[in-house]
């Protein structure tokens, strides 16, 4: 039986510009039922274009993490449509979503989620196992990704032999090894000191300059200000979709 996924015509939008990589249309997400129903997202509309470097912010409970989970195909909306790279993924099956995540998305988290028994090289090779990449190619691509993040001398080190910043660089290499169209980072600097935070943000900037779309969820204003566009959530809605770094202060104190 073939492992190739097929998508029906309803997955293909008719009028989404090629420059758009992420498009949320009237997305709502409900949790619970009846009187205890909570609307985590309420008719969210958001467009992110190819090559953008943007951040998503908002107070606790604003819906930013729920939005990230939907953008990352880790969850489905209750209503609405989500187009990722010209495919409507809103109601895809678990198998289809897993395929999309592996082929089109890279993830970086606050906790590095590295396997301590594996070397840096072996950790970066893991996503390619699930993508059925041949062993020789896995090693070649993983080595190239680690070189790209400045860890060419740490290929055979295990996570316990690496600093926090180096571990996050391994995680970033793992996220980009399958050449994703979007790199999603959820509080990627939350466990790092200020110096290492800047090193990681510089790396995100370099990756974005190479053409990768980068989206960061963060509660840190100083992190958001280094992106080119800020999306602000409040009460499950996008209240500002194109904040500039210079405008952020007024929103934070309002």
């Amino acid at each position: 039986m073939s492992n190739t996924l097929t998508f029906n015509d309803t997955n293909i939008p008719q009028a989404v510009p090629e420059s758009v990589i992420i498009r949320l249309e009237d997305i709502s997400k409900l949790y619970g039922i009846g009187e205890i129903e909570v609307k985590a997202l309420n008719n969210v509309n958001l467009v992110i274009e190819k090559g953008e470097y943007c951040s998503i912010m908002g107070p606790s409970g604003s819906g930013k993490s729920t939005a990230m989970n939907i953008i990352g195909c880790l969850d489905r909306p209750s209503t609405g449509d989500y187009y990722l790279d010209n495919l409507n993924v809103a109601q895809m099956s678990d198998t289809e979503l897993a395929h999309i995540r592996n082929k089109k998305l890279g993830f970086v988290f606050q906790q590095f989620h590295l396997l301590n028994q594996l070397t840096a090289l072996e950790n970066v090779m893991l996503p390619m196992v699930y993508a059925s990449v041949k062993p020789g190619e896995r090693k070649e691509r993983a080595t190239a990704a680690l070189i790209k993040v400045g860890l060419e001398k740490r290929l055979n080190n295990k996570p316990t032999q690496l600093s926090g910043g180096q571990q996050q660089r391994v995680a970033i290499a793992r996220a980009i090894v399958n050449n994703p169209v979007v790199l999603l980072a959820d509080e990627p600097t939350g466990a790092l000191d200020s110096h290492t935070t800047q090193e990681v943000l510089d790396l995100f900037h370099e990756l974005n300059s190479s053409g990768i779309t980068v989206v960061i969820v963060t509660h840190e204003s100083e992190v958001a200000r280094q992106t080119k566009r800020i999306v602000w959530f409040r009460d499950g809605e996008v209240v500002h979709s194109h904040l500039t770094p210079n405008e952020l202060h007024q929103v934070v104190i309002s």
Side-chain angles (χ1 to χ4, degrees):
M1 184 173 66
S2 171
N3 291 324
T4 302
L5 295 177
T6 59
F7 306 107
N8 61 43
D9 289 343
T10 61
N11 296 127
I12 304 174
Q14 300 302 310
V16 177
E18 289 187 3
S19 62
V20 172
I21 194 70
I22 290 169
R23 183 172 184 142
L24 305 181
E25 295 185 351
D26 298 321
I27 292 289
S28 292
K29 181 64 180 181
L30 306 178
Y31 293 104
I33 56 174
E35 294 182 359
I36 59 172
E37 184 177 86
V38 174
K39 183 171 280 190
L41 294 177
N42 183 30
N43 294 324
V44 168
N45 290 278
L46 180 65
V47 170
I48 297 174
E49 297 199 349
K50 292 178 181 177
E52 276 206 75
Y53 183 21
C54 70
S55 52
I56 295 176
M57 293 194 73
S60 178
S62 63
K64 62 183 184 296
S65 294
T66 302
M68 176 64 96
N69 286 340
I70 289 174
I71 291 172
C73 296
L74 298 169
D75 200 359
R76 299 182 186 84
S78 300
T79 59
D81 293 306
Y82 168 31
Y83 298 107
L84 172 63
D85 200 20
N86 222 35
L87 286 174
N88 189 347
V89 301
Q91 302 303 328
M92 283 185 177
S93 69
D94 289 345
T95 300
E96 290 172 326
L97 290 177
H99 176 81
I100 291 293
R101 287 194 300 270
N102 193 260
K103 293 292 186 181
K104 295 185 179 292
L105 299 169
F107 296 90
V108 180
F109 300 99
Q110 178 175 342
Q111 303 304 322
F112 316 125
H113 299 305
L114 302 176
L115 298 180
N116 286 332
Q117 69 270 30
L118 300 182
T119 66
L121 184 64
E122 291 166 339
N123 268 285
V124 177
M125 289 170 64
L126 270 182
M128 291 180 285
V129 174
Y130 304 112
S132 300
V133 177
K134 294 179 180 179
E137 185 180 350
R138 285 180 216 161
K139 185 173 183 180
E140 182 179 332
R141 285 168 54 178
T143 300
L146 285 164
I147 291 172
K148 193 168 188 175
V149 301
L151 292 179
E152 60 272 15
K153 296 181 179 180
R154 298 289 186 175
L155 303 183
N156 297 313
N157 286 107
K158 294 183 177 180
T160 54
Q161 299 171 311
L162 300 172
S163 68
Q166 289 170 335
Q167 289 183 63
Q168 191 62 294
R169 285 175 177 267
V170 174
I172 294 170
R174 182 184 58 193
I176 64 173
V177 75
N178 275 339
N179 300 313
V181 295
V182 178
L183 180 62
L184 300 173
D186 190 359
E187 300 287 359
T189 61
L192 305 176
D193 61 42
S194 58
H195 176 74
T196 309
T197 288
Q198 190 57 55
E199 289 182 344
V200 169
L201 292 176
D202 288 344
L203 180 55
F204 281 138
H205 182 76
E206 291 173 18
L207 292 170
N208 175 248
S209 297
S210 74
I212 297 177
T213 304
V214 180
V215 181
I216 298 177
V217 168
T218 182
H219 69 277
E220 299 178 75
S221 297
E222 293 308 312
V223 171
R225 284 193 177 95
Q226 295 197 41
T227 66
K228 299 174 183 176
R229 169 191 169 197
I230 302 165
V231 179
W232 186 270
F233 275 76
R234 182 182 290 124
D235 298 328
E237 300 179 356
V238 174
V239 292
H240 299 284
S241 62
H242 285 82
L243 277 177
T244 67
N246 290 335
E247 295 169 332
L248 179 59
H249 178 69
Q250 292 177 316
V251 175
V252 171
I253 65 175
S254 64

